[in-house]
Amino acid sequence: MDPDYIANEPKMEKDYSESVKGLLPEVEQLASSGQLRQALEKLHGLEKKTRAAADLWSTTKLLERMVEVCGTAKEWVMLEQEVAAMAKKHGQLKQAITKMVQKAMTFVDETPDEQSKIDLIEALRTVTEGKIHVEVERARLTRMRVAIYERNGHIKEACDTLQEIQVETYGSMERREKTDFILEQMRLCLAKRDYIRMAIISHKINTKYFEHEDTEDLKLRFYELMIQYDVHEENYLEVCRHYNQVYNTKSIKDDVNKWPAVLQNIILYLVLSPFDNEQSDMLHRFKQDHNLEKLELCSQLVKSFTTMELTRWPAMENIYGPEFRTTDVFSAQTEDGNKRWMALRDRVIEHNVRVIARYYSRATITRLKELLDLAADDVEAFLSKAVVAGTIYARIDRPSGVVSFSKPRDGEEQLNGWASDVGKLLSLVEKTTHLISKEEIVNKIARAI
């Protein structure tokens, strides 16, 4: 007998294996002649003895044979009744129930119609409910039920049913299957448009698991789902991070037909992200990527945002519009694509505002209107937004129509500046005095010689 069978079970009092081996051929003959009731009665009689004697191997064989008799005869209602009855027997061995359920699951795909399949799945789910020793089987049965819901277009019911299973707490389920199950939960939440729950579920997956070699397919599925979520939430920097993980996947980076599209999406979502230190750092790092040189327009776009020079939006629209407006990111055919295209315009203007703040100490509103290609109210709006974000310092004098970009220094900063200047002056005086003294000594020695 397999030692796994007898683990964590009561000690066997009597071995009925020989009796079972002798009974099975007789049961087989009765079942083949159509006498199912008589076959099951013989199995029930011996099963009661083996269960009372805690004979795990014999009990398991008998329960599996009961399932086979009903399943082979296509008696689906009888199969459901037998499984339910045997699982409720007093003192029934846990591992015997597990094997019985596993055997019954093999007949799910043999049912003649969808309703019979649903009835059998629900019956097995009822048997496995609340039992730790069949939690994995319950999860797999739930996947089957959810697949039927989804096939019939009942997305809400499919999502709600799958949420009932908390596979992250299952110790007996393999990690790969567990991850696959959670990814399915995430996918259905997206299909249901339950973005809050999807974000919560995504935290159940430890991304370090994707460092294993045989998890690339799971990794790509996970980041594809996260990209869809963060695109909806307009977290463009997060989208860029997800695409970066996809880009660094070996199967993607080694495929010349896949990495260009991924790298292009990285750049497009990166320039769409609001400016901050992290966004700027990522932009400069991707500028050093040798593959970027093979994407001419993306390379030019990165250069425009990393060079402290003004970039006029009308010119950019003419250069990048024809190609980028055909991509999924900036598609002219979708509302989201048009919205992101206008967001790119805002990022270009914000870049120009930072350039102006760097090179100008004061500028008139009229001049800024020319440089930014905006109306006066829009100029003030973008300046205010940049000031609030902390990327520039600016003060607008509306009566005179002048914007000051020079940050005034307070009394402490002014005193520190003066102290620094005096310190530099004294250092120069001391150095000069030393050089003069040195020159005088050299001249005295020369005259003495």
Side-chain angles (χ1 to χ4, degrees):
M1 283 181 284
D2 189 336
D4 290 338
Y5 278 140
I6 59 175
N8 301 319
E9 297 288 3
K11 186 177 180 181
M12 184 172 65
E13 298 176 2
K14 186 176 180 180
D15 187 357
Y16 283 94
S17 58
E18 293 301 323
S19 301
V20 171
K21 291 176 182 177
L23 179 65
L24 290 181
E26 185 180 346
V27 169
E28 179 69 26
Q29 187 176 1
L30 289 171
S32 60
S33 62
Q35 302 178 56
L36 300 183
R37 291 293 179 187
Q38 292 84 340
L40 290 174
E41 286 175 4
K42 286 184 175 296
L43 291 171
H44 288 162
L46 186 55
E47 183 273 336
K48 183 177 181 179
K49 296 178 182 179
T50 60
R51 172 162 42 89
D55 184 352
L56 179 58
W57 184 88
S58 300
T59 305
T60 300
K61 286 296 180 183
L62 293 171
L63 294 182
E64 287 181 336
R65 192 70 192 104
M66 291 178 195
V67 172
E68 286 178 3
V69 167
C70 298
T72 305
K74 311 298 182 185
E75 293 289 343
W76 308 115
V77 175
M78 187 182 294
L79 172 59
E80 295 165 16
Q81 294 171 348
E82 285 296 319
V83 171
M86 289 299 106
K88 292 178 181 177
K89 292 292 184 180
H90 176 70
Q92 188 61 274
L93 303 175
K94 294 178 180 178
Q95 292 188 45
I97 295 175
T98 302
K99 294 294 182 180
M100 177 183 67
V101 171
Q102 289 174 352
K103 192 69 176 179
M105 287 173 63
T106 62
F107 289 99
V108 170
D109 292 330
E110 297 182 17
T111 48
D113 52 60
E114 187 175 275
Q115 189 56 49
S116 299
K117 187 174 185 177
I118 292 173
D119 291 342
L120 180 55
I121 291 173
E122 290 296 344
L124 294 175
R125 289 186 70 224
T126 302
V127 168
T128 57
E129 186 175 5
K131 297 182 176 68
I132 295 177
H133 52 282
V134 283
E135 60 186 6
V136 175
E137 286 72 22
R138 178 172 174 78
R140 291 169 181 166
L141 287 164
T142 303
R143 284 285 294 270
M144 295 178 188
R145 184 68 182 96
V146 166
I148 297 173
Y149 272 132
E150 191 174 8
R151 189 164 58 245
N152 294 331
H154 302 146
I155 301 299
K156 182 179 183 301
E157 291 80 358
C159 184
D160 293 343
T161 302
L162 204 62
Q163 299 312 313
E164 298 172 2
I165 309 300
Q166 307 297 325
V167 292
E168 65 275 9
T169 64
Y170 291 4
S172 55
M173 182 179 282
E174 291 185 4
R175 192 170 184 183
R176 181 180 177 83
E177 184 178 1
K178 195 181 296 186
T179 304
D180 178 66
F181 199 98
I182 295 174
L183 289 175
E184 192 67 10
Q185 290 179 328
M186 291 170 60
R187 184 186 67 80
L188 286 174
C189 284
L190 279 179
K192 185 186 172 186
R193 299 185 180 278
D194 188 350
Y195 295 101
I196 295 175
R197 185 174 293 278
M198 190 273 183
I200 294 171
I201 294 173
S202 68
H203 293 304
K204 296 178 181 179
I205 294 180
N206 187 348
T207 54
K208 290 183 178 179
Y209 173 63
F210 298 136
E211 295 174 4
H212 295 80
E213 292 182 0
D214 60 340
T215 59
E216 277 196 6
D217 57 326
L218 298 176
K219 176 182 178 181
L220 294 176
R221 281 175 58 196
F222 172 75
Y223 285 112
E224 178 60 34
L225 293 170
M226 292 306 299
I227 286 168
Q228 293 179 40
Y229 167 75
D230 282 309
V231 166
H232 175 267
E233 297 295 314
E234 298 182 7
N235 297 327
Y236 297 133
L237 193 59
E238 290 296 326
V239 175
C240 178
R241 289 197 191 98
H242 302 325
Y243 269 119
N244 189 29
Q245 292 293 334
V246 174
Y247 179 64
N248 290 325
T249 303
K250 189 176 185 301
S251 61
I252 299 297
K253 209 154 192 176
D254 293 344
D255 192 336
V256 295
N257 296 319
K258 292 181 179 179
W259 69 256
V262 176
L263 182 56
Q264 176 176 281
N265 285 334
I266 291 174
I267 300 304
L268 296 183
Y269 280 111
L270 192 51
V271 297
L272 275 174
S273 306
F275 175 83
D276 59 20
N277 292 336
E278 186 175 2
Q279 187 263 3
S280 178
D281 177 65
M282 290 185 70
L283 204 56
H284 281 83
R285 281 194 284 115
F286 277 106
K287 186 180 179 182
Q288 307 300 321
D289 193 320
H290 297 299
N291 286 333
L292 189 61
E293 299 172 1
K294 300 173 185 177
L295 304 177
E296 185 178 353
L297 280 181
C298 288
S299 180
Q300 292 178 12
L301 185 62
V302 170
K303 187 176 180 181
S304 298
F305 278 89
T306 53
T307 306
M308 292 306 285
E309 295 178 0
L310 290 176
T311 304
R312 310 297 285 268
W313 172 247
M316 287 195 69
E317 200 167 17
N318 292 331
I319 295 171
Y320 303 110
E323 180 169 335
F324 288 163
R325 292 290 274 168
T326 61
T327 63
D328 292 337
V329 181
F330 297 120
S331 175
Q333 310 300 321
T334 64
E335 182 181 347
D336 290 338
N338 291 322
K339 184 178 179 180
R340 285 191 284 268
W341 186 250
M342 295 312 297
L344 179 62
R345 169 182 172 272
D346 293 347
R347 299 295 173 263
V348 171
I349 295 171
E350 291 166 4
H351 168 76
N352 290 339
V353 168
R354 292 193 297 273
V355 173
I356 292 170
R358 177 171 179 175
Y359 292 114
Y360 283 76
S361 57
R362 298 173 76 242
T364 63
I365 294 291
T366 304
R367 180 59 176 154
L368 291 176
K369 286 165 55 181
E370 296 173 0
L371 295 173
L372 298 174
D373 299 307
L374 293 173
D377 291 343
D378 292 333
V379 169
E380 287 193 14
F382 276 98
L383 286 173
S384 301
K385 186 177 178 181
V387 170
V388 170
T391 55
I392 66 167
Y393 173 89
R395 289 293 182 269
I396 302 174
D397 185 350
R398 279 183 174 160
S400 61
V402 175
V403 179
S404 173
F405 296 103
S406 299
K407 186 176 182 180
R409 296 191 296 180
D410 58 23
E412 184 177 354
E413 290 178 338
Q414 192 74 36
L415 288 173
N416 289 337
W418 288 346
S420 176
D421 291 341
V422 170
K424 290 178 182 178
L425 178 61
L426 291 175
S427 296
L428 288 172
V429 170
E430 183 179 358
K431 185 176 180 180
T432 304
T433 303
H434 173 71
L435 291 173
I436 292 171
S437 300
K438 181 180 177 182
E439 196 67 30
E440 288 177 349
I441 292 172
V442 170
N443 288 333
K444 285 180 181 179
I445 293 173
R447 285 198 299 269
I449 295 174

